[in-house]
Amino acid sequence: MSSTTLLDRVIATVDASPHGCASGRCTRHHAVQAPARKPLYTQEERGRRDATKWTLVQGLLAPFQFLVFLVSLSLVIIYLGTGEYQLATEVSIVLKTLVLYAIMVTGAIWEKVVFGKYLFAPAFYWEDVFSMLVIALHTAYLWAFLADSGTPEFRMWLALAAYAAYVVNATQFILKLRAARLDTRSA
């Protein structure tokens, strides 16, 4: 067996493998592909998701919460910049926190209906973990506000920390929605 033949066989083996092309002459069929991701929902879970009223509730609460967040964030920034509208700002943060509690409770119910667990279903495990941080920060603000603990500026910075965590968590959920849509298209 000549070295050229052996080399050709090695290249052909690599070209045909899922690890990529060694020769640079691979067809699109043999190109490197990302490993298949497990679909977010099984057929049964997708059916429960589509049948439950809690999907609609989540679909309505999420954009409402985002709107409340935008208004409240604007007020926090104005307050930190000017010292004005303290009461309106603090009320907006309390409202944002109450809406968060509503979406978390109804989300847990939704998760129970769809996945059989109130929280930490494998499909949404990390989103739920991060949601606990979001809830903790919002609750810390609520406690500080109700106890009149710390300065108003401290409470505003605490609210900003809660809002930053909320943005990360909302992004996690948006990426999951996108993944679910891609799963639906490929199914």
Side-chain angles (χ1 to χ4, degrees):
M1 184 182 288
S2 72
S3 62
T4 306
T5 309
L6 178 58
L7 180 60
D8 287 340
R9 290 178 93 191
V10 168
I11 290 172
T13 302
V14 172
D15 285 353
S17 79
H19 302 292
C21 301
S23 67
R25 59 179 192 242
C26 298
T27 65
R28 188 168 174 84
H29 174 71
H30 290 104
V32 177
Q33 296 179 5
R37 180 182 52 77
K38 181 183 173 203
L40 191 59
Y41 302 101
T42 65
Q43 289 288 47
E44 296 80 19
E45 292 164 346
R46 185 178 295 117
R48 290 190 298 267
R49 177 202 68 190
D50 294 345
T52 182
K53 67 181 178 186
W54 297 108
T55 300
L56 177 61
V57 170
Q58 291 294 287
L60 296 173
L61 278 176
F64 177 68
Q65 179 181 215
F66 190 71
L67 178 63
V68 172
F69 158 74
L70 289 177
V71 170
S72 184
L73 177 63
S74 299
L75 287 168
V76 170
I77 292 169
I78 290 168
Y79 176 80
L80 288 173
T82 67
E84 296 178 6
Y85 308 114
Q86 177 184 343
L87 181 60
T89 302
E90 293 197 305
V91 167
S92 76
I93 300 167
V94 170
L95 178 61
K96 164 67 174 77
T97 302
L98 295 176
V99 175
L100 172 72
Y101 290 161
I103 202 166
M104 294 306 295
V105 168
T106 59
I109 295 167
W110 174 87
E111 208 166 318
K112 174 70 173 169
V113 170
V114 175
F115 297 106
K117 296 178 77 169
Y118 282 107
L119 286 170
F120 307 112
F124 287 94
Y125 181 83
W126 289 110
E127 291 76 9
D128 288 347
V129 167
F130 207 83
S131 291
M132 296 302 112
L133 173 63
V134 174
I135 291 171
L137 287 168
H138 280 76
T139 302
Y141 171 84
L142 189 59
W143 177 84
F145 173 72
L146 294 174
D148 197 25
S149 179
T151 65
E153 289 77 18
F154 167 78
R155 291 193 301 264
M156 297 301 163
W157 285 105
L158 183 56
L160 284 178
Y163 287 3
Y166 161 73
V167 167
V168 170
N169 198 224
T171 302
Q172 289 178 300
F173 281 104
I174 289 168
L175 291 173
K176 281 294 171 127
L177 285 173
R178 183 178 179 277
R181 284 191 185 128
L182 291 174
D183 287 347
T184 302
R185 282 189 206 153
S186 65

